[in-house]
């Protein structure tokens, strides 16, 4: 794989990684992880990205399952803490430990000089996203509802489930600041803390170049992709609970397969309508 410039090329550099994290509840037969991996194999230009995908497991059972279904697995242990079992309830103590442990890991990856895409596992991939990343951004991130201005940070509600970060001094300083800011905002998860600090002068002081990703390419159940001819990813935002996420993403993946297998002349964006089961999800 060549070291084509991200943004202009269709493939990432050979040292680029795509990171997702799981625990046991997300990793079993018929799980969210299975849907996530299936989307890479059924996507448009995503098969070659699998070699860049690193699945970070937070417990031993998740790691064992990962090793059975994927070649690149990394066991991230937390002394004195086990994330094995049922999914952590949103904003529970266990959930907070998980998301901030993940943030700490991201920060350590940047310190190694590695650029990476971070992606929640409850996201299905339709298409190679690299041509849609901004060349002039150190840090770019998805949002739940997009205002139409990719440089507007205040009104675009950032979603920490998907993004791309380049390992440079600006990004490393920002991620460390983001992680350290949890002490100033106790009880908040990393996404809420990000939406707190994005308006602070620190970003301008270090010269961090930030872009928000357009939901036309990086959508979610909250604001679905309108045109699958250009859509890249779909996140199970606005879904409560594991079962609702699985139902919604299964239906979304089925819609994608039907669309991508249709004759090119019938892939009309104006006639396409999502038909996911949204029980437990809201728009």
């Amino acid at each position: 794989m060549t070291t084509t410039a991200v943004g202009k090329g269709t493939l990432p550099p050979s040292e680029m990684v795509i990171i997702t994290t799981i625990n046991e509840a997300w990793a079993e037969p018929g799980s969210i992880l299975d849907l996530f991996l299936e989307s890479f194999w059924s996507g448009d230009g995503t098969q070659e990205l699998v070699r860049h995908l690193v699945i970070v497991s937070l417990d031993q059972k998740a790691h064992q399952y990962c090793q059975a279904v994927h070649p690149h697995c990394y066991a991230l242990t937390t002394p004195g803490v086990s994330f094995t079992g049922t999914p952590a309830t949103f904003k529970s103590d266990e959930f907070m430990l998980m998301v901030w442990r993940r943030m700490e890991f991201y920060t350590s990856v940047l310190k190694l000089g590695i650029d990476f895409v971070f992606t929640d596992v409850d996201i299905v991939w339709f298409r190679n996203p690299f041509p849609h990343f901004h060349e002039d951004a150190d840090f770019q991130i998805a949002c739940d509802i997009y205002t139409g201005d990719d440089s507007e940070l205040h009104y675009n509600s950032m979603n920490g489930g998907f993004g791309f970060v380049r390992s440079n001094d600006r990004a490393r300083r920002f991620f460390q600041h983001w992680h350290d800011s949890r002490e100033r905002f106790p009880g908040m998860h990393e996404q809420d803390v990000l939406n707190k600090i994005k308006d602070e002068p620190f970003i301008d002081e270090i010269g961090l170049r930030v872009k928000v990703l357009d939901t036309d390419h990086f959508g979610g159940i909250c604001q679905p992709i309108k045109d699958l001819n250009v859509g890249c990813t779909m996140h199970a935002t606005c879904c409560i609970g594991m079962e609702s996420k699985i139902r919604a993403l299964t239906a979304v993946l089925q819609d994608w397969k039907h669309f991508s297998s249709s004759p090119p002349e019938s892939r009309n964006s104006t006639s396409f309508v999502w038909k996911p089961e949204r029980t437990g999800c809201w728009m």
Side-chain angles (χ1 to χ4, degrees):
M1 189 171 292
T2 63
T3 55
T4 307
V6 172
K8 289 183 178 179
T10 60
L11 295 177
S14 58
E15 69 274 12
M16 175 78 62
V17 294
I18 301 167
I19 301 173
T20 194
T21 56
I22 57 170
N23 75 343
E24 179 191 355
W26 299 82
E28 58 185 12
S31 65
I32 289 281
L33 177 59
D34 283 359
L35 289 170
F36 177 77
L37 291 173
E38 183 182 352
S39 72
F40 276 82
W41 293 114
S42 64
D44 180 6
T46 52
Q47 295 85 357
E48 56 263 62
L49 299 181
V50 174
R51 74 179 72 180
H52 292 268
L53 176 62
V54 177
I55 300 175
V56 177
S57 51
L58 297 169
D59 60 68
Q60 185 58 34
K61 289 188 177 180
H63 190 61
Q64 290 173 349
Y65 187 74
C66 177
Q67 290 179 310
V69 297
H70 187 65
H72 309 305
C73 304
Y74 181 83
L76 182 65
T77 58
T78 304
V81 179
S82 174
F83 295 112
T84 299
T86 57
T89 305
F90 184 61
K91 294 191 177 181
S92 67
D93 290 344
E94 184 182 359
F95 176 84
M96 293 297 186
L97 285 171
M98 287 174 61
V99 297
W100 286 111
R101 183 69 176 103
R102 180 176 65 181
M103 272 301 305
E104 184 180 18
F105 178 73
Y106 289 166
T107 304
S108 68
V109 172
L110 286 177
K111 290 178 179 178
L112 292 173
I114 299 172
D115 302 349
F116 64 90
V117 173
F118 54 93
T119 173
D120 278 357
V121 74
D122 61 337
I123 294 177
V124 290
W125 289 48
F126 306 133
R127 187 171 280 105
N128 184 347
F130 283 87
H132 299 285
F133 288 145
H134 301 276
E135 293 182 75
D136 59 345
D138 306 309
F139 174 54
Q140 41 204 301
I141 189 167
C143 63
D144 290 330
I145 305 295
Y146 183 61
T147 66
D149 182 353
D150 59 22
S151 298
E152 203 292 307
L153 304 185
H154 181 72
Y155 293 104
N156 282 311
S157 180
M158 296 178 178
N159 186 305
F162 185 89
F164 172 58
V165 57
R166 289 182 169 89
S167 179
N168 55 37
D169 184 63
R170 294 182 297 272
R172 286 190 287 270
R173 291 179 64 186
F174 175 71
F175 266 67
Q176 188 64 60
H177 174 71
W178 183 3
H179 179 267
D180 293 345
S181 294
R182 66 181 295 195
E183 303 298 331
R184 295 192 288 129
F185 302 100
M188 288 190 177
H189 59 77
E190 93 290 7
Q191 184 171 301
D192 282 348
V193 170
L194 174 61
N195 280 299
K196 287 285 187 181
I197 67 175
K198 66 185 181 183
D199 291 324
E200 294 180 343
F202 183 78
I203 289 179
D204 290 332
E205 289 172 3
I206 64 174
L208 185 75
R209 300 170 299 181
V210 185
K211 293 285 188 179
V212 178
L213 296 171
D214 192 336
T215 52
D216 282 351
H217 302 299
F218 306 94
I221 302 298
C222 293
Q223 193 172 73
I225 291 167
K226 297 176 183 177
D227 184 359
L228 264 183
N229 290 292
V230 297
C232 296
T233 63
M234 190 79 146
H235 193 174
T237 53
C238 295
C239 294
I240 301 173
M242 185 72 72
E243 291 184 3
S244 68
K245 289 177 180 289
I246 290 175
R247 281 196 298 269
L249 292 181
T250 297
V252 164
L253 199 52
Q254 289 173 348
D255 285 345
W256 161 254
K257 290 178 179 179
H258 176 74
F259 176 87
S260 60
S261 63
S262 300
E265 62 273 13
S266 67
R267 300 178 193 175
N268 189 324
S269 62
T270 60
S271 63
F272 181 80
V273 179
W274 287 109
K275 300 182 290 296
E277 294 292 334
R278 294 197 177 104
T279 304
C281 306
W282 68 95
M283 299 298 294

